[in-house]
Amino acid sequence: MTERAVNRSVVIPPDVHVVRDNIPLDDQTQPIQARACRVDSYSIVVVRSAGAAVDRIASFLPRGSRVAIVTDETVRRRYGAAVCAALRSRGHDVIVAAMRPGEASKGVDTAVALLNWLAESEIGRRDMLLAVGGGVVIDTAGWVASAYMRGLPYVNVPTTLLAQVDAAIGGKVAVDHRLAKNLIGAFYHPTAVVSNIGYLGSLSARQLRAGLAEAIKKGVIASADLFDFIECDLHLILAGDSGVLYRLVRHATAVKCRLVGRDPYEHDLRRPLNFGHTIGHAIETVTAYGPVLHGEAVAVGMAAATRISHARGWTEHALHTRLLGLLRRAGLPVTLADLQAPVDAEEVIGALAKIRLIRDGRLRFVLPVRLGEAAIVDDVTDAEIRQALDASVPVAAAP
Ligand SMILES: NC(=O)c1ccc[n+]([C@@H]2O[C@H](COP(=O)([O-])OP(=O)(O)OC[C@H]3O[C@@H](n4cnc5c(N)ncnc54)[C@H](O)[C@@H]3O)[C@@H](O)[C@H]2O)c1
Ligand SMILES: [Zn+2]
Protein backbone atom coordinates (compact mmCIF):
# COMPACT_ATOMS: atom_id res chain seq x y z
CA MET A 1 0.00 0.00 0.00
CA THR A 2 1.35 3.49 -0.89
CA GLU A 3 1.42 5.90 1.99
CA ARG A 4 1.29 9.67 2.14
CA ALA A 5 3.53 11.45 4.62
CA VAL A 6 1.69 14.14 6.57
CA ASN A 7 4.71 14.93 8.70
CA ARG A 8 7.74 12.97 9.84
CA SER A 9 6.06 11.11 12.65
CA VAL A 10 2.48 10.67 11.40
CA VAL A 11 1.50 8.59 8.39
CA ILE A 12 -2.13 8.23 7.37
CA PRO A 13 -3.21 5.82 4.61
CA PRO A 14 -4.45 7.73 1.52
CA ASP A 15 -7.93 6.17 1.59
CA VAL A 16 -8.65 7.58 5.07
CA HIS A 17 -10.90 10.65 5.09
CA VAL A 18 -8.97 13.39 6.91
CA VAL A 19 -10.54 16.65 8.08
CA ARG A 20 -8.35 19.68 8.84
CA ASP A 21 -9.10 23.05 10.37
CA ASN A 22 -7.17 25.90 11.93
CA ILE A 23 -9.65 28.27 13.54
CA PRO A 24 -8.01 31.28 15.26
CA LEU A 25 -8.86 32.24 18.81
CA ASP A 26 -11.89 34.48 19.23
CA ASP A 27 -10.85 38.14 19.43
CA GLN A 28 -13.25 38.74 22.35
CA THR A 29 -14.69 41.92 20.79
CA GLN A 30 -17.38 40.99 18.22
CA PRO A 31 -20.73 39.35 18.94
CA ILE A 32 -20.60 35.62 18.19
CA GLN A 33 -23.03 34.71 15.45
CA ALA A 34 -24.27 31.19 14.64
CA ARG A 35 -25.43 30.44 11.08
CA ALA A 36 -27.45 27.54 9.75
CA CYS A 37 -28.44 27.92 6.12
CA ARG A 38 -30.29 25.20 4.32
CA VAL A 39 -32.25 24.98 1.10
CA ASP A 40 -34.73 22.15 0.70
CA SER A 41 -36.08 21.18 -2.67
CA TYR A 42 -37.88 18.04 -3.72
CA SER A 43 -39.78 16.57 -6.64
CA ILE A 44 -43.53 16.08 -6.63
CA VAL A 45 -44.55 13.45 -9.13
CA VAL A 46 -48.16 12.85 -10.18
CA VAL A 47 -48.85 9.45 -11.76
CA ARG A 48 -51.96 7.55 -12.80
CA SER A 49 -51.36 3.96 -11.67
CA ALA A 50 -50.10 1.95 -8.71
CA GLY A 51 -47.35 0.40 -10.88
CA ALA A 52 -46.04 3.81 -11.92
CA ALA A 53 -46.23 4.98 -8.30
CA VAL A 54 -44.04 2.10 -7.07
CA ASP A 55 -41.51 2.71 -9.85
CA ARG A 56 -41.22 6.35 -8.84
CA ILE A 57 -41.09 5.58 -5.11
CA ALA A 58 -38.31 3.06 -5.73
CA SER A 59 -36.34 5.66 -7.69
CA PHE A 60 -36.12 7.82 -4.53
CA LEU A 61 -34.86 5.02 -2.24
CA PRO A 62 -31.14 4.62 -1.61
CA ARG A 63 -29.89 1.27 -2.91
CA GLY A 64 -30.27 -1.45 -0.30
CA SER A 65 -31.98 0.88 2.18
CA ARG A 66 -34.51 -0.42 4.67
CA VAL A 67 -37.96 1.06 4.29
CA ALA A 68 -40.29 1.82 7.21
CA ILE A 69 -43.83 2.28 5.87
CA VAL A 70 -46.25 4.24 8.05
CA THR A 71 -49.85 3.94 6.93
CA ASP A 72 -53.31 3.44 8.41
CA GLU A 73 -55.29 0.22 8.59
CA THR A 74 -57.65 1.11 5.72
CA VAL A 75 -54.87 2.13 3.36
CA ARG A 76 -52.72 -0.84 4.35
CA ARG A 77 -55.52 -3.22 3.33
CA ARG A 78 -56.15 -1.46 0.02
CA TYR A 79 -52.69 -0.42 -1.16
CA GLY A 80 -50.02 -0.85 1.52
CA ALA A 81 -49.53 -4.57 1.02
CA ALA A 82 -48.92 -4.10 -2.72
CA VAL A 83 -46.40 -1.28 -2.16
CA CYS A 84 -44.64 -3.39 0.43
CA ALA A 85 -44.45 -6.47 -1.84
CA ALA A 86 -43.21 -4.40 -4.81
CA LEU A 87 -40.41 -2.81 -2.76
CA ARG A 88 -39.39 -6.17 -1.28
CA SER A 89 -39.17 -7.60 -4.77
CA ARG A 90 -36.72 -4.78 -5.55
CA GLY A 91 -34.49 -5.92 -2.70
CA HIS A 92 -35.56 -3.60 0.12
CA ASP A 93 -36.15 -4.82 3.64
CA VAL A 94 -39.61 -3.37 4.43
CA ILE A 95 -41.36 -2.99 7.77
CA VAL A 96 -44.91 -1.65 8.16
CA ALA A 97 -46.81 0.11 10.95
CA ALA A 98 -50.51 0.92 10.54
CA MET A 99 -52.25 3.62 12.58
CA ARG A 100 -55.94 3.53 13.40
CA PRO A 101 -57.67 5.59 10.67
CA GLY A 102 -58.97 9.05 11.50
CA GLU A 103 -57.95 12.36 13.03
CA ALA A 104 -58.23 10.99 16.58
CA SER A 105 -54.99 9.01 15.93
CA LYS A 106 -53.01 12.13 15.04
CA GLY A 107 -51.65 12.58 18.55
CA VAL A 108 -48.49 12.35 20.61
CA ASP A 109 -49.32 8.79 21.76
CA THR A 110 -49.32 7.50 18.19
CA ALA A 111 -46.13 9.41 17.44
CA VAL A 112 -44.35 7.96 20.48
CA ALA A 113 -45.46 4.45 19.54
CA LEU A 114 -44.03 4.98 16.05
CA LEU A 115 -40.75 6.35 17.46
CA ASN A 116 -40.45 3.25 19.67
CA TRP A 117 -41.14 1.03 16.68
CA LEU A 118 -38.43 2.74 14.58
CA ALA A 119 -35.90 2.49 17.40
CA GLU A 120 -36.67 -1.16 18.14
CA SER A 121 -36.46 -1.96 14.41
CA GLU A 122 -33.02 -0.29 14.32
CA ILE A 123 -33.96 1.97 11.43
CA GLY A 124 -31.07 4.35 10.71
CA ARG A 125 -30.58 7.64 8.91
CA ARG A 126 -29.57 5.93 5.69
CA ASP A 127 -32.95 4.22 5.62
CA MET A 128 -36.24 5.75 4.45
CA LEU A 129 -39.63 6.31 5.99
CA LEU A 130 -42.57 6.09 3.58
CA ALA A 131 -45.80 7.82 4.59
CA VAL A 132 -48.61 6.12 2.67
CA GLY A 133 -52.04 7.53 3.43
CA GLY A 134 -54.14 10.64 3.93
CA GLY A 135 -53.19 13.84 5.72
CA VAL A 136 -53.40 12.19 9.15
CA VAL A 137 -50.73 9.62 8.28
CA ILE A 138 -48.63 12.17 6.42
CA ASP A 139 -48.66 14.77 9.21
CA THR A 140 -47.92 12.18 11.92
CA ALA A 141 -45.27 10.23 10.01
CA GLY A 142 -43.60 13.48 8.92
CA TRP A 143 -43.32 14.68 12.49
CA VAL A 144 -41.97 11.31 13.62
CA ALA A 145 -39.43 11.48 10.77
CA SER A 146 -38.39 14.97 11.88
CA ALA A 147 -37.79 13.84 15.45
CA TYR A 148 -36.22 10.42 14.93
CA MET A 149 -32.40 10.71 14.99
CA ARG A 150 -32.90 14.46 14.39
CA GLY A 151 -34.26 13.71 10.96
CA LEU A 152 -34.96 10.56 8.99
CA PRO A 153 -35.56 11.07 5.25
CA TYR A 154 -39.13 10.37 4.17
CA VAL A 155 -41.21 10.12 1.02
CA ASN A 156 -44.87 11.09 1.00
CA VAL A 157 -47.32 8.89 -0.88
CA PRO A 158 -50.63 10.71 -0.39
CA THR A 159 -53.74 8.60 -0.99
CA THR A 160 -56.54 11.15 -0.42
CA LEU A 161 -57.35 14.14 -2.59
CA LEU A 162 -56.80 16.39 0.42
CA ALA A 163 -53.33 15.02 0.99
CA GLN A 164 -52.42 15.18 -2.72
CA VAL A 165 -53.45 18.82 -3.13
CA ASP A 166 -52.31 20.00 0.27
CA ALA A 167 -51.00 17.99 3.22
CA ALA A 168 -48.19 16.18 1.39
CA ILE A 169 -46.63 19.42 0.14
CA GLY A 170 -44.87 22.12 2.16
CA GLY A 171 -43.15 20.20 4.93
CA LYS A 172 -45.51 21.24 7.73
CA VAL A 173 -45.65 18.19 9.97
CA ALA A 174 -47.52 17.96 13.24
CA VAL A 175 -49.68 16.06 15.67
CA ASP A 176 -52.69 17.44 17.55
CA HIS A 177 -52.96 18.38 21.21
CA ARG A 178 -56.25 18.36 23.06
CA LEU A 179 -56.02 22.16 23.36
CA ALA A 180 -55.28 22.87 19.71
CA LYS A 181 -54.79 21.18 16.39
CA ASN A 182 -51.26 20.73 15.04
CA LEU A 183 -49.86 22.21 18.25
CA ILE A 184 -46.82 19.93 18.29
CA GLY A 185 -44.98 20.06 15.02
CA ALA A 186 -42.09 21.16 12.86
CA PHE A 187 -41.07 22.14 9.38
CA TYR A 188 -39.48 19.10 7.84
CA HIS A 189 -39.56 18.52 4.11
CA PRO A 190 -39.88 15.17 2.38
CA THR A 191 -37.33 13.78 -0.04
CA ALA A 192 -40.09 13.45 -2.63
CA VAL A 193 -43.85 13.22 -3.04
CA VAL A 194 -45.49 10.60 -5.26
CA SER A 195 -49.21 11.22 -5.89
CA ASN A 196 -51.10 8.45 -7.67
CA ILE A 197 -54.49 9.48 -9.04
CA GLY A 198 -55.45 5.80 -9.19
CA TYR A 199 -55.59 5.67 -5.37
CA LEU A 200 -58.40 8.25 -5.37
CA GLY A 201 -60.76 5.76 -7.05
CA SER A 202 -61.60 4.14 -3.71
CA LEU A 203 -62.26 7.37 -1.79
CA SER A 204 -65.79 7.93 -0.55
CA ALA A 205 -67.70 10.83 -2.11
CA ARG A 206 -67.52 12.59 1.25
CA GLN A 207 -63.72 12.32 1.42
CA LEU A 208 -63.37 13.49 -2.19
CA ARG A 209 -65.46 16.60 -1.43
CA ALA A 210 -63.47 17.33 1.72
CA GLY A 211 -60.27 17.27 -0.36
CA LEU A 212 -61.83 19.53 -2.93
CA ALA A 213 -62.39 22.17 -0.23
CA GLU A 214 -58.60 22.67 0.06
CA ALA A 215 -58.28 23.00 -3.73
CA ILE A 216 -61.11 25.57 -3.85
CA LYS A 217 -59.30 27.47 -1.09
CA LYS A 218 -56.21 27.84 -3.28
CA GLY A 219 -58.31 29.04 -6.18
CA VAL A 220 -59.89 31.76 -4.03
CA ILE A 221 -56.68 33.07 -2.50
CA ALA A 222 -54.25 32.71 -5.38
CA SER A 223 -55.58 31.49 -8.71
CA ALA A 224 -58.69 32.62 -10.53
CA ASP A 225 -57.76 30.06 -13.22
CA LEU A 226 -57.86 27.21 -10.70
CA PHE A 227 -61.20 28.44 -9.34
CA ASP A 228 -62.64 28.62 -12.90
CA PHE A 229 -61.30 25.13 -13.65
CA ILE A 230 -63.00 23.64 -10.59
CA GLU A 231 -66.23 25.52 -11.22
CA CYS A 232 -66.31 24.37 -14.82
CA ASP A 233 -65.36 20.70 -14.30
CA LEU A 234 -67.01 20.18 -10.92
CA HIS A 235 -69.33 17.43 -12.14
CA LEU A 236 -66.38 15.46 -13.56
CA ILE A 237 -64.34 15.93 -10.37
CA LEU A 238 -67.21 14.68 -8.23
CA ALA A 239 -67.75 11.77 -10.63
CA GLY A 240 -64.10 10.78 -10.04
CA ASP A 241 -62.98 11.33 -13.66
CA SER A 242 -59.31 10.40 -13.48
CA GLY A 243 -58.21 12.73 -16.30
CA VAL A 244 -59.77 15.75 -14.60
CA LEU A 245 -58.50 14.68 -11.17
CA TYR A 246 -55.00 14.40 -12.63
CA ARG A 247 -55.21 17.99 -13.89
CA LEU A 248 -56.72 19.19 -10.62
CA VAL A 249 -53.95 17.62 -8.52
CA ARG A 250 -51.23 19.06 -10.76
CA HIS A 251 -52.78 22.56 -10.84
CA ALA A 252 -53.40 22.69 -7.08
CA THR A 253 -49.94 21.26 -6.32
CA ALA A 254 -48.29 23.89 -8.50
CA VAL A 255 -50.27 26.69 -6.80
CA LYS A 256 -49.34 25.43 -3.33
CA CYS A 257 -45.65 25.15 -4.29
CA ARG A 258 -45.65 28.76 -5.52
CA LEU A 259 -47.28 29.97 -2.31
CA VAL A 260 -45.11 28.06 0.17
CA GLY A 261 -41.95 28.74 -1.84
CA ARG A 262 -42.30 32.46 -1.04
CA ASP A 263 -42.08 31.89 2.72
CA PRO A 264 -41.41 28.21 3.44
CA TYR A 265 -40.83 28.68 7.16
CA GLU A 266 -43.76 31.02 7.72
CA HIS A 267 -41.84 34.00 9.03
CA ASP A 268 -44.85 36.06 8.02
CA LEU A 269 -47.81 34.89 10.05
CA ARG A 270 -50.26 36.59 7.66
CA ARG A 271 -50.76 33.55 5.47
CA PRO A 272 -53.48 33.41 2.83
CA LEU A 273 -53.27 29.58 2.91
CA ASN A 274 -54.99 29.81 6.30
CA PHE A 275 -58.21 30.90 4.58
CA GLY A 276 -61.04 29.03 6.29
CA HIS A 277 -58.74 27.53 8.89
CA THR A 278 -59.26 29.91 11.83
CA ILE A 279 -62.85 28.83 12.34
CA GLY A 280 -62.15 25.44 10.72
CA HIS A 281 -59.62 24.47 13.40
CA ALA A 282 -61.97 25.64 16.16
CA ILE A 283 -64.74 23.42 14.76
CA GLU A 284 -62.36 20.44 14.72
CA THR A 285 -61.30 21.17 18.29
CA VAL A 286 -64.83 21.39 19.71
CA THR A 287 -65.87 18.20 17.90
CA ALA A 288 -62.82 16.43 19.36
CA TYR A 289 -61.17 15.68 16.01
CA GLY A 290 -63.65 13.07 14.91
CA PRO A 291 -67.02 13.46 13.24
CA VAL A 292 -66.22 16.54 11.14
CA LEU A 293 -63.65 16.07 8.37
CA HIS A 294 -60.87 18.66 8.08
CA GLY A 295 -62.05 19.75 4.62
CA GLU A 296 -65.63 20.12 5.86
CA ALA A 297 -64.53 22.28 8.78
CA VAL A 298 -62.47 24.39 6.37
CA ALA A 299 -65.48 24.76 4.04
CA VAL A 300 -67.59 26.17 6.88
CA GLY A 301 -64.63 28.37 7.86
CA MET A 302 -64.28 29.71 4.29
CA ALA A 303 -68.01 30.41 4.06
CA ALA A 304 -67.97 32.20 7.44
CA ALA A 305 -64.88 34.29 6.56
CA THR A 306 -66.52 35.25 3.27
CA ARG A 307 -69.67 36.35 5.10
CA ILE A 308 -67.60 38.42 7.55
CA SER A 309 -65.78 40.03 4.64
CA HIS A 310 -69.03 40.60 2.74
CA ALA A 311 -70.67 42.18 5.79
CA ARG A 312 -67.71 44.60 6.00
CA GLY A 313 -68.24 45.46 2.35
CA TRP A 314 -64.85 43.97 1.45
CA THR A 315 -65.84 40.99 -0.70
CA GLU A 316 -66.99 41.53 -4.24
CA HIS A 317 -70.60 40.42 -4.44
CA ALA A 318 -69.76 38.14 -7.38
CA LEU A 319 -67.14 36.26 -5.34
CA HIS A 320 -69.49 35.86 -2.38
CA THR A 321 -72.13 34.36 -4.69
CA ARG A 322 -69.73 32.17 -6.67
CA LEU A 323 -67.84 30.78 -3.68
CA LEU A 324 -70.88 29.92 -1.58
CA GLY A 325 -72.56 28.53 -4.70
CA LEU A 326 -69.53 26.37 -5.56
CA LEU A 327 -69.22 25.01 -2.02
CA ARG A 328 -72.92 24.13 -2.03
CA ARG A 329 -72.78 22.52 -5.48
CA ALA A 330 -69.76 20.52 -4.31
CA GLY A 331 -71.90 19.17 -1.47
CA LEU A 332 -69.76 20.89 1.16
CA PRO A 333 -71.18 22.39 4.37
CA VAL A 334 -71.44 26.18 4.55
CA THR A 335 -73.09 26.57 7.96
CA LEU A 336 -72.69 24.79 11.31
CA ALA A 337 -76.13 23.28 10.78
CA ASP A 338 -74.88 21.53 7.61
CA LEU A 339 -72.25 19.59 9.58
CA GLN A 340 -72.80 15.94 10.42
CA ALA A 341 -72.20 16.61 14.13
CA PRO A 342 -74.01 19.16 16.27
CA VAL A 343 -71.77 22.21 16.76
CA ASP A 344 -72.77 25.22 18.82
CA ALA A 345 -71.58 28.67 17.67
CA GLU A 346 -70.74 29.68 21.25
CA GLU A 347 -68.50 26.64 21.66
CA VAL A 348 -66.64 27.61 18.48
CA ILE A 349 -66.20 31.16 19.79
CA GLY A 350 -64.92 29.71 23.10
CA ALA A 351 -62.37 27.55 21.26
CA LEU A 352 -61.26 30.57 19.23
CA ALA A 353 -60.65 32.47 22.48
CA LYS A 354 -58.29 29.67 23.62
CA ILE A 355 -56.49 29.67 20.27
CA ARG A 356 -56.14 33.46 20.59
CA LEU A 357 -54.40 33.00 23.95
CA ILE A 358 -51.94 30.47 22.53
CA ARG A 359 -51.19 32.75 19.55
CA ASP A 360 -49.95 35.85 21.40
CA GLY A 361 -53.43 37.32 21.77
CA ARG A 362 -54.07 37.53 18.02
CA LEU A 363 -56.58 35.67 15.95
CA ARG A 364 -55.86 36.12 12.27
CA PHE A 365 -58.57 35.87 9.67
CA VAL A 366 -58.11 35.67 5.92
CA LEU A 367 -60.97 37.64 4.36
CA PRO A 368 -61.40 37.19 0.60
CA VAL A 369 -61.78 40.33 -1.48
CA ARG A 370 -61.84 39.01 -5.03
CA LEU A 371 -60.30 35.93 -6.68
CA GLY A 372 -56.55 36.07 -5.98
CA GLU A 373 -56.85 38.80 -3.34
CA ALA A 374 -57.43 38.50 0.39
CA ALA A 375 -57.18 40.81 3.38
CA ILE A 376 -55.49 39.40 6.48
CA VAL A 377 -56.70 40.96 9.71
CA ASP A 378 -56.68 40.33 13.45
CA ASP A 379 -59.56 42.55 14.49
CA VAL A 380 -62.55 40.31 13.76
CA THR A 381 -64.95 40.54 16.71
CA ASP A 382 -66.94 37.79 18.38
CA ALA A 383 -70.10 39.54 17.20
CA GLU A 384 -68.97 39.29 13.56
CA ILE A 385 -68.07 35.60 14.01
CA ARG A 386 -71.40 34.90 15.73
CA GLN A 387 -73.32 36.54 12.91
CA ALA A 388 -71.33 34.70 10.22
CA LEU A 389 -71.81 31.32 11.92
CA ASP A 390 -75.50 31.79 12.55
CA ALA A 391 -76.25 33.10 9.09
CA SER A 392 -78.72 31.11 7.08
CA VAL A 393 -77.23 31.62 3.67
CA PRO A 394 -79.35 32.05 0.60
CA VAL A 395 -78.35 29.36 -1.88
CA ALA A 396 -76.44 31.09 -4.65
CA ALA A 397 -77.31 30.21 -8.20
CA ALA A 398 -74.64 28.17 -9.95
CA PRO A 399 -72.91 30.20 -12.65
N1 LIG B 1 -49.51 19.52 6.65
C1 LIG B 1 -50.31 20.28 5.95
O1 LIG B 1 -49.89 21.22 5.32
C2 LIG B 1 -51.77 19.95 5.93
C3 LIG B 1 -52.60 20.57 5.00
C4 LIG B 1 -53.94 20.21 4.98
C5 LIG B 1 -54.42 19.27 5.85
N2 LIG B 1 -53.59 18.68 6.75
C6 LIG B 1 -54.07 17.65 7.68
O2 LIG B 1 -54.57 16.55 6.96
C7 LIG B 1 -55.48 15.85 7.78
C8 LIG B 1 -56.69 15.43 6.97
O3 LIG B 1 -56.26 14.58 5.94
P1 LIG B 1 -57.28 13.62 5.15
O4 LIG B 1 -58.51 14.37 4.83
O5 LIG B 1 -56.50 13.01 4.06
O6 LIG B 1 -57.72 12.58 6.27
P2 LIG B 1 -57.28 11.09 6.66
O7 LIG B 1 -55.83 10.92 6.57
O8 LIG B 1 -57.94 10.83 7.94
O9 LIG B 1 -57.95 10.19 5.54
C9 LIG B 1 -59.35 10.14 5.44
C10 LIG B 1 -59.88 8.71 5.50
O10 LIG B 1 -59.72 8.13 4.20
C11 LIG B 1 -59.08 6.85 4.31
N3 LIG B 1 -58.33 6.70 3.08
C12 LIG B 1 -57.12 7.24 2.79
N4 LIG B 1 -56.81 7.00 1.51
C13 LIG B 1 -57.84 6.27 1.00
C14 LIG B 1 -58.10 5.75 -0.28
N5 LIG B 1 -57.28 5.94 -1.31
N6 LIG B 1 -59.25 5.05 -0.45
C15 LIG B 1 -60.13 4.89 0.56
N7 LIG B 1 -59.94 5.39 1.78
C16 LIG B 1 -58.80 6.08 2.00
C17 LIG B 1 -58.30 6.92 5.56
O11 LIG B 1 -58.11 5.63 6.09
C18 LIG B 1 -59.19 7.77 6.47
O12 LIG B 1 -60.15 6.97 7.08
C19 LIG B 1 -55.84 16.77 8.90
O13 LIG B 1 -55.23 16.31 10.09
C20 LIG B 1 -55.23 18.10 8.49
O14 LIG B 1 -54.84 18.87 9.60
C21 LIG B 1 -52.28 18.99 6.80
ZN1 LIG C 1 -56.14 22.50 5.76
Side-chain angles (χ1 to χ4, degrees):
M1 188 200 281
T2 56
E3 291 185 335
R4 164 175 57 149
V6 172
N7 63 33
R8 275 177 201 285
S9 54
V10 180
V11 178
I12 300 172
D15 54 348
V16 172
H17 178 71
V18 178
V19 181
R20 292 195 190 86
D21 244 326
N22 187 13
I23 300 170
L25 286 178
D26 173 55
D27 71 4
Q28 315 277 300
T29 61
Q30 301 300 314
I32 299 173
Q33 197 71 31
R35 280 165 56 91
C37 298
R38 169 171 164 170
V39 175
D40 289 296
S41 92
Y42 50 94
S43 299
I44 301 168
V45 186
V46 185
V47 299
R48 297 168 197 262
S49 70
V54 171
D55 285 345
R56 298 312 301 262
I57 293 166
S59 73
F60 295 113
L61 302 178
R63 188 190 298 265
S65 56
R66 300 181 68 212
V67 182
I69 297 182
V70 177
T71 183
D72 72 22
E73 285 154 7
T74 306
V75 178
R76 173 168 66 178
R77 273 196 301 277
R78 284 193 181 276
Y79 306 114
V83 172
C84 181
L87 295 180
R88 281 189 181 136
S89 75
R90 285 167 164 81
H92 295 279
D93 175 18
V94 184
I95 57 170
V96 184
M99 302 164 46
R100 218 172 272 150
E103 184 76 28
S105 309
K106 192 178 133 178
V108 177
D109 291 352
T110 307
V112 169
L114 289 170
L115 288 167
N116 288 336
W117 168 71
L118 289 173
E120 284 155 14
S121 309
E122 297 179 3
I123 291 289
R125 284 182 69 170
R126 293 176 58 82
D127 298 323
M128 184 70 81
L129 190 150
L130 211 58
V132 185
V136 164
V137 166
I138 279 178
D139 278 8
T140 310
W143 187 66
V144 165
S146 77
Y148 185 71
M149 293 185 156
R150 297 194 185 89
L152 181 66
Y154 74 113
V155 171
N156 277 336
V157 184
T159 62
T160 61
L161 181 60
L162 186 136
Q164 294 189 355
V165 300
D166 205 336
I169 314 153
K172 281 172 73 168
V173 296
V175 293
D176 298 333
H177 185 274
R178 90 192 136 70
L179 289 182
K181 222 178 121 65
N182 298 329
L183 192 63
I184 299 154
F187 288 97
Y188 186 62
H189 298 280
T191 300
V193 179
V194 179
S195 290
N196 169 25
I197 301 301
Y199 291 152
L200 305 182
S202 53
L203 276 186
S204 68
R206 188 179 171 205
Q207 292 288 355
L208 196 72
R209 291 187 187 115
L212 186 57
E214 293 278 19
I216 292 172
K217 175 192 79 177
K218 295 179 184 66
V220 175
I221 57 170
S223 173
D225 287 349
L226 176 59
F227 191 91
D228 290 348
F229 170 83
I230 296 171
E231 215 174 34
C232 183
D233 282 343
L234 181 65
H235 57 296
L236 294 171
I237 294 170
L238 295 178
D241 182 289
S242 65
V244 174
L245 284 172
Y246 178 86
R247 294 210 292 284
L248 174 68
V249 170
R250 283 207 56 135
H251 288 321
T253 298
V255 169
K256 176 145 188 191
C257 286
R258 286 281 283 275
L259 289 173
V260 295
R262 289 177 195 156
D263 182 20
Y265 297 101
E266 298 190 347
H267 294 299
D268 189 347
L269 295 173
R270 296 164 302 177
R271 293 184 294 271
L273 275 167
N274 276 356
F275 177 42
H277 282 63
T278 314
I279 286 177
H281 282 169
I283 291 173
E284 288 185 270
T285 305
V286 301
T287 51
Y289 310 123
V292 176
L293 301 182
H294 177 71
E296 294 170 342
V298 169
V300 174
M302 288 194 288
T306 305
R307 280 185 212 111
I308 293 170
S309 192
H310 194 244
R312 288 184 172 202
W314 292 6
T315 296
E316 271 186 352
H317 187 68
L319 173 58
H320 180 257
T321 310
R322 282 178 76 186
L323 176 55
L324 292 174
L326 179 59
L327 293 172
R328 277 255 158 101
R329 280 205 295 141
L332 283 161
V334 294
T335 66
L336 293 181
D338 294 337
L339 292 169
Q340 295 202 3
V343 182
D344 179 59
E346 293 310 317
E347 278 185 68
V348 174
I349 290 168
L352 286 169
K354 284 193 190 133
I355 296 173
R356 186 186 274 123
L357 278 182
I358 293 171
R359 310 241 163 100
D360 63 7
R362 288 173 174 203
L363 201 56
R364 282 186 192 78
F365 271 82
V366 180
L367 303 182
V369 176
R370 56 179 66 86
L371 288 179
E373 190 177 326
I376 300 173
V377 298
D378 57 11
D379 63 351
V380 173
T381 64
D382 286 357
E384 286 178 290
I385 298 170
R386 194 170 287 118
Q387 196 181 14
L389 286 175
D390 284 344
S392 66
V393 200
V395 182

